[in-house]
Amino acid sequence: FMNKFTTRPEIVGNFGIVTSTHWIASAVGMSILEKGGNAFDAAVATGITLQVVEPHLNGPGGEVPLILAPNNKDPIVICGQGVAPELATLKSFNDLGLNIVPGSGLLPAVVPGAFDAWMLLLLNFGTMTLRDVLEPSIGIATKGYHLVPNIINTIKSVEELFRNEWTSSAEIYLPGGKLPQEGDFFTNKKMAETYLKIIKEAEGKSNDKKEQINQARNIWSKGFVAEEIENYCKNNQVMDTTESKHKGLLTADDIANWSATIEKPLTYDYKNFTVCKTGPWGQGPTFLQQLALLKDFDLDVLDENSPEFVHLVVEATKLAFADREAFYGDTNFNKVPMDILLSEEYNIERRRLISKKSSMEVRPGYIPGFRGEVTVRPKGTTPESFSKFDIGEPTVARFDEPSPNSLGDTKGDTTHFDIIDKWGNMIAGTPSGGWLQSSPIIPELGFCLSNRGQMFWLDDNSPACIGPKRRPRTTLSPSLALKDGVPYMVFGTPGGDQQDQWSLHLFLRHVHFGLNLQEAIDAPGFSTAHFPNSFYPRETDIGHLAIEGRFPKTTIDELKKKGHKVSVDTDWSLGRMTAASKDGQILKGAANPRFMQGYAIGR
């Protein structure tokens, strides 16, 4: 039925496509294209708007990786993942008696990376002014936006924490002392004032468009924003997931000494496509590793809803993500053997581990001279229950869903957008972090800090161990694919560890089964948590396979027979994908219907 009906049309045009996880952000991005801006101008406006309308999924204090292909130029990555503070040493956490980085509060705060990444993009690739791209979000934050149910649910989950501990958050998110109601129009005027102050200070220092952008970067990293962040971290002890209060480690110097960077993407050739991802400071290369593992299986003869397809993909996922845990980390501090991990020789050996039965082991590969150890904590156990498992040692666990809590470790999620303009510029971005439930609002700024530091391990044997100026191994993972050597598609999804699963499924369904972008997004979702979770409390669910109930019963039954620990989720619950493509002069776009927020706009 997927080839006949979709939840909404695949958008087709030749002027421009903007697709994102919220309809308001998509509309803002399209308005920039209509005013003559390019895809990169639209990306900045869209990204900053997402901070306003999806505050439970990202914020100004968060981070963003961007992947883009300027027309007729090679794809590049902009790393907007801020680093750990100078004071964030393994010893400093050990001295606090911790063996895991808290999931909320100020201790896991890293340098806010998003703003500098947006400014670097605008400076090098945009055409519009700072005011042009920031004013739409300032207007929305001032006049208000419609609250979707998931924002209300998130605020409700931390309501008591806000009332009793994080009172600066209560001032914004419990207006008048009350929980907001669905459908309310909600404002964050303090955040709007922060962005407006940056614009006015930058314009006061120069009339030149590019110099204003540079001034904005300085105002953020060396001016009032950095000062307020340092003052808050230094002078406040706040409750976090340890059930104790801690100050932050982040200083103004940490912020001043970091800036976003431009890098080459990692790539992998698959059929007539070349997929581009971030380096292994993020989980992006797991997408490429899964392709390398699947390359010799004849997926074309399968059906996208068949148990054979789901099983093969999930087993490849388990192997790729085990390697993520064993080998990935900040490449400024670790040598990560990506050339080996993506090599045919290595993947021939890894592919042999895929059998007709579900694997019940966490199995990283063995690469002499590199670490291959994975720390596993069965879900439902205490944070002290970490065990190390060397290559191939079985880890078996069974557990139930965790009960909700009120210490701010409500699972944060993420946003995503994809944009292509009439000139052929294309960009994908996955803004995240600085969620309203991350840490308390800094009163003078109207936003809170990212807790991405929870993705570090407190283990010096891990390439993802915490340390000064290190990037946490982020889950954020936008994608760009070339077709026959020409930039063709940008795509991605929120979803933490699921990002390089759900976006892979979209890609495979499009490439192997001929589903259009909307059909591929609408198709029933699935994912596994058979590896250490990137988020506090870092649990592992051996053999887990979540699958939407829209899969045929015969598929679900067969997967259970293969030994998968199947959890049948509600029909429209797994996946948040958006995608846009360019084939000749034809532009196409699609967005996720789940949770009724994402929309593609174009003409």
Side-chain angles (χ1 to χ4, degrees):
F1 74 95
M2 291 310 302
N3 291 311
K4 292 180 182 176
F5 303 108
T6 54
T7 56
R8 72 252 327 242
E10 182 183 58
I11 302 295
V12 182
N14 56 19
F15 174 80
I17 294 283
V18 181
T19 178
S20 84
T21 49
H22 198 289
W23 72 88
I24 293 176
S26 298
V28 165
M30 196 67 196
S31 77
I32 295 290
L33 296 184
E34 295 286 3
K35 290 171 187 167
N38 67 15
F40 312 123
D41 299 312
V44 180
T46 299
I48 305 287
T49 300
L50 285 168
Q51 295 174 358
V52 177
V53 298
E54 295 193 315
H56 59 313
L57 306 179
N58 75 138
E63 49 269 327
V64 62
L66 302 164
I67 190 160
L68 53 143
N71 188 28
N72 295 321
K73 293 183 181 174
D74 292 336
I76 64 161
V77 167
I78 294 180
C79 174
Q81 176 57 66
V83 298
E86 195 69 46
L87 296 172
T89 62
L90 186 57
K91 182 179 185 302
S92 65
F93 281 84
N94 288 340
D95 288 348
L96 291 170
L98 300 175
N99 72 341
I100 181 172
V101 179
S104 68
L106 296 178
L107 271 181
V110 297
V111 172
F115 186 78
D116 202 63
W118 296 127
M119 293 301 101
L120 187 63
L121 175 67
L122 188 63
L123 182 70
N124 288 353
F125 303 100
T127 66
M128 299 181 98
T129 67
L130 184 67
R131 184 177 286 274
D132 288 335
V133 296
L134 292 184
E135 274 194 331
S137 57
I138 291 170
I140 294 162
T142 304
K143 293 177 182 176
Y145 61 93
H146 170 90
L147 282 181
V148 295
N150 278 345
I151 299 178
I152 307 287
N153 295 338
T154 301
I155 297 170
K156 193 171 185 178
S157 72
V158 286
E159 181 180 0
E160 290 309 307
L161 178 68
F162 283 10
R163 291 189 190 281
N164 299 329
E165 299 286 346
W166 297 2
T167 53
S168 57
S169 297
E171 285 175 22
I172 288 180
Y173 290 105
L174 299 171
K178 296 178 180 176
L179 185 72
Q181 299 301 303
E182 188 179 332
D184 283 359
F185 267 68
F186 191 81
T187 63
N188 186 340
K189 292 176 182 175
K190 185 56 73 173
M191 186 197 296
E193 287 169 15
T194 296
Y195 277 128
L196 200 54
K197 186 175 178 182
I198 291 171
I199 294 172
K200 287 178 177 175
E201 283 194 21
E203 289 177 343
K205 291 177 185 293
S206 177
N207 291 321
D208 179 73
K209 183 165 61 177
K210 287 190 177 292
E211 184 55 27
Q212 285 176 0
I213 298 167
N214 278 322
Q215 288 296 336
R217 297 176 78 185
N218 279 327
I219 292 161
W220 182 281
S221 64
K222 301 181 178 77
F224 79 94
V225 176
E227 289 170 12
E228 291 292 347
I229 290 172
E230 177 176 283
N231 289 340
Y232 193 82
C233 288
K234 187 189 294 184
N235 297 317
N236 291 275
Q237 286 198 325
V238 309
M239 182 67 72
D240 58 38
T241 52
T242 64
E243 300 186 27
S244 300
K245 295 184 180 184
H246 296 104
K247 290 182 179 180
L249 304 174
L250 195 59
T251 68
D253 281 348
D254 293 321
I255 299 168
N257 292 330
W258 177 88
S259 58
T261 49
I262 294 176
E263 305 177 358
K264 288 184 176 178
L266 267 181
T267 64
Y268 187 79
D269 293 334
Y270 184 82
K271 295 174 78 86
N272 60 326
F273 293 86
T274 302
V275 180
C276 305
K277 300 292 290 187
T278 72
W281 49 266
Q283 73 176 8
T286 59
F287 189 113
L288 309 182
Q289 281 196 250
Q290 289 171 94
L291 291 180
L293 287 161
L294 291 167
K295 192 167 78 169
D296 277 5
F297 292 103
D298 190 359
L299 300 185
D300 288 335
V301 302
L302 302 178
D303 177 270
E304 70 266 19
N305 291 328
S306 67
E308 293 79 14
F309 172 68
V310 175
H311 173 76
L312 276 177
V313 171
V314 167
E315 292 304 297
T317 300
K318 292 175 181 178
L319 295 171
F321 276 75
D323 281 348
R324 179 192 76 170
E325 288 305 311
F327 302 113
Y328 289 20
D330 188 344
T331 43
N332 294 331
F333 293 85
N334 297 275
K335 191 168 181 345
V336 180
M338 282 315 310
D339 53 339
I340 297 172
L341 291 168
L342 294 177
S343 70
E344 184 61 19
E345 183 182 22
Y346 178 80
N347 284 287
I348 286 171
E349 293 300 315
R350 298 289 276 156
R351 215 174 281 132
R352 288 177 182 148
L353 297 174
I354 298 177
S355 72
K356 293 184 178 180
K357 298 294 284 182
S358 168
S359 166
M360 301 303 278
E361 303 171 41
V362 176
R363 297 180 290 184
Y366 175 67
I367 302 176
F370 292 90
R371 304 160 188 182
E373 205 174 61
V374 174
T375 302
V376 174
R377 177 190 164 203
K379 198 170 176 183
T381 60
T382 64
E384 289 71 41
S385 307
F386 284 112
S387 307
K388 290 194 176 99
F389 294 91
D390 286 319
I391 313 309
E393 187 172 332
T395 60
V396 182
R398 178 176 179 81
F399 51 83
D400 300 315
E401 284 300 305
S403 58
N405 65 81
S406 58
L407 288 171
D409 64 332
T410 304
K411 287 290 179 285
D413 208 331
T414 297
T415 67
H416 186 83
F417 68 84
D418 305 292
I419 303 173
I420 307 178
D421 65 27
K422 63 185 177 184
W423 299 286
N425 300 301
M426 62 177 69
I427 181 167
T430 312
S432 189
W435 313 305
L436 67 87
Q437 67 276 18
S438 301
S439 61
I441 290 287
I442 299 171
E444 294 306 311
L445 299 177
F447 64 80
C448 57
L449 296 172
S450 167
N451 54 14
R452 190 65 52 176
Q454 67 183 291
M455 297 188 170
F456 287 114
W457 287 106
L458 298 181
D459 177 0
D460 56 10
N461 289 315
S462 169
C465 181
I466 201 162
K469 298 185 178 179
R470 294 191 180 199
R471 290 175 284 189
R473 192 213 62 215
T474 182
T475 50
L476 306 175
S477 193
S479 305
L480 188 150
L482 292 79
K483 184 179 182 181
D484 301 319
V486 177
Y488 168 68
M489 181 164 75
V490 276
F491 58 107
T493 177
D497 294 314
Q498 288 79 34
Q499 288 182 31
D500 285 299
Q501 300 184 59
W502 294 336
S503 56
L504 174 77
H505 308 162
L506 179 158
F507 178 78
L508 294 174
R509 283 162 160 158
H510 184 60
V511 168
H512 286 284
F513 310 126
L515 273 64
N516 72 31
L517 299 183
Q518 192 62 52
E519 290 165 344
I521 287 171
D522 282 1
F526 62 97
S527 53
T528 180
H530 175 98
F531 45 80
N533 194 297
S534 295
F535 293 88
Y536 179 94
R538 312 302 299 269
E539 296 163 321
T540 303
D541 192 348
I542 298 297
H544 166 268
L545 172 57
I547 191 164
E548 283 186 351
R550 291 182 295 134
F551 269 98
K553 186 177 183 300
T554 51
T555 293
I556 294 169
D557 290 345
E558 186 58 32
L559 289 166
K560 288 177 179 176
K561 285 180 189 171
K562 290 178 180 292
H564 294 281
K565 206 170 75 179
V566 176
S567 161
V568 180
D569 283 26
T570 52
D571 284 1
W572 294 92
S573 57
L574 301 177
R576 316 275 188 279
M577 295 82 71
T578 68
S581 68
K582 181 180 187 293
D583 202 348
Q585 295 306 306
I586 299 173
L587 308 180
K588 295 181 179 179
N592 166 53
R594 299 163 180 88
F595 304 109
M596 298 184 292
Q597 281 177 230
Y599 266 90
I601 300 176
R603 69 170 177 86

